Amino acid sequence: MAEQVVATAFGGPEVLSVVDTEVPEPAAGRITVDVRAIGVNPIDHKLYSGAFGSDPDKLPLPVGNELAGVVTAVGEGATGKAGPISVGDEVVVQPAPGAYASSVTVRAAHAVPKPAGLSWETAAGLLLAGETAVHLLTLLGDVEGTTLLIHGASGSVGVLAAQLAVASGARVVGTAGQARAEALRGYGITPVRYGDGLVDRVREAAPEGISGVIDTSGTDEAIDVSLAFVPPDRVVSAAAFQRAADGIKLVGGGPGADPGAEIRSAAWERLLPLAAEGKLEVPLARTFPLAEAAEAHRLSIDGHPGGKLILLP
């Protein structure tokens, strides 16, 4: 038996419950993982909020999609992205449907090795946001020697994209709230406060001009400011789907977006080694026990957790 968080209805965090559930033996191509840490992501709430439909036949709905843990059982031919998987292997799995659990059986094909020097919390919070960050940066091409503007640079995707850009030789100007300014400076990012007057503040921060823009906020302000500096094809957004008509590049699962399946699938090979070497940081805001998943979601929905939220079974 395992503990698992499920949504018993569609709605807010109040519909989440912890239940006891049988963990199925892994069939061919699947593995069972003793979960050590779980990443909390905005999509987790959206899936049970009703935003993507509210079919009652899907209830109770297991929650979560990103975890790190130890393999306890393997099905025939269980092979991850790095090769065959064995009992005792430490892995990171994303996507991992039903990840909010103490033990779960998932597809082996979605598992990658966890570097020995990487904490469970960081491993569980890196890949989903990191894959988007790598995707955004890849679409801009070679950024060495350029100056980039990154909107939402203190968010879970933005802060990873900004660190990767700096590591690639770019200068980064990042928008954020005033409270996050010092943290961004610590990553080598020049912070600018969003809000009225943002165009002038960006010009002051980057008198040499802006070569490309990564947007993770999705606001009209972010896109309007971006287009004041660069043509639409130099703006890549993971959130501003309402501005598709402007000709900006969109990534992810929204309408007209580049899904970037191959880029995202391979991103772990870049992300995990950098994190293990201390060259890429996942800012961790807070950890919660599995039983307090609803509280973690309330903080996530508020929109300003200050870093990644992690559940610990």
Side-chain angles (χ1 to χ4, degrees):
M1 296 291 287
E3 290 187 328
Q4 185 172 47
V5 175
V6 300
T8 57
F10 291 96
E14 71 280 355
V15 306
L16 297 181
S17 294
V18 179
V19 299
D20 290 328
T21 183
E22 292 282 352
V23 181
E25 288 294 320
R30 300 179 72 83
I31 57 175
T32 299
V33 180
D34 178 29
V35 181
R36 302 298 176 86
I38 304 153
V40 175
N41 297 288
I43 188 65
D44 299 344
H45 167 250
K46 290 180 181 178
L47 288 173
Y48 69 81
S49 70
F52 300 113
S54 53
D55 182 356
D57 290 339
K58 294 183 178 180
L59 299 173
L61 180 67
V63 182
N65 214 30
E66 180 176 34
L67 63 82
V70 180
V71 176
T72 58
V74 298
E76 182 181 356
T79 302
K81 293 182 180 180
I85 298 175
S86 302
V87 170
D89 286 353
E90 297 183 350
V91 295
V92 187
V93 190
Q94 199 287 125
Y100 287 20
S102 57
S103 179
V104 66
T105 297
V106 294
R107 288 184 60 190
H110 295 159
V112 299
K114 183 187 83 68
L118 195 62
S119 73
W120 293 112
E121 292 86 352
T122 296
L126 176 60
L127 288 190
L128 198 150
E131 288 173 3
T132 301
V134 168
H135 190 185
L136 288 162
L137 198 55
T138 299
L139 292 193
L140 280 181
D142 184 8
V143 298
E144 183 177 3
T146 69
T147 299
L148 302 183
L149 173 62
I150 297 184
H151 293 287
S154 66
S156 59
V157 174
V159 73
L160 295 176
Q163 291 179 75
L164 291 169
V166 170
S168 297
R171 178 168 180 256
V172 175
V173 175
T175 69
Q178 190 61 40
R180 306 283 184 253
E182 198 56 39
L184 292 185
R185 290 190 186 96
Y187 296 122
I189 302 160
T190 302
V192 292
R193 177 177 54 83
Y194 51 70
D196 292 344
L198 180 56
V199 168
D200 292 335
R201 288 192 293 277
V202 172
R203 285 201 178 107
E204 182 178 355
E208 72 277 18
I210 298 295
S211 301
V213 180
I214 287 175
D215 167 53
T216 69
S217 69
T219 66
D220 286 327
E221 174 192 67
I223 302 306
D224 291 340
V225 169
S226 300
L227 295 177
F229 291 95
V230 297
D233 65 355
R234 293 298 295 163
V235 180
V236 187
S237 177
F241 297 102
Q242 79 281 6
R243 299 296 296 267
D246 288 285
I248 65 174
K249 295 179 180 178
L250 296 164
V251 306
D258 173 20
E262 291 186 8
I263 295 171
R264 290 172 180 253
S265 180
W268 68 276
E269 296 178 275
R270 180 179 182 184
L271 296 166
L272 287 173
L274 285 174
E277 294 165 10
K279 297 177 181 178
L280 182 64
E281 181 181 341
V282 178
L284 299 176
R286 187 174 168 187
T287 61
F288 293 82
L290 188 63
E292 295 180 14
E295 184 59 32
H297 276 219
R298 291 186 184 98
L299 183 55
S300 176
I301 292 167
D302 178 60
H304 300 282
K308 193 77 177 186
L309 302 176
I310 299 293
L311 298 177
L312 301 176

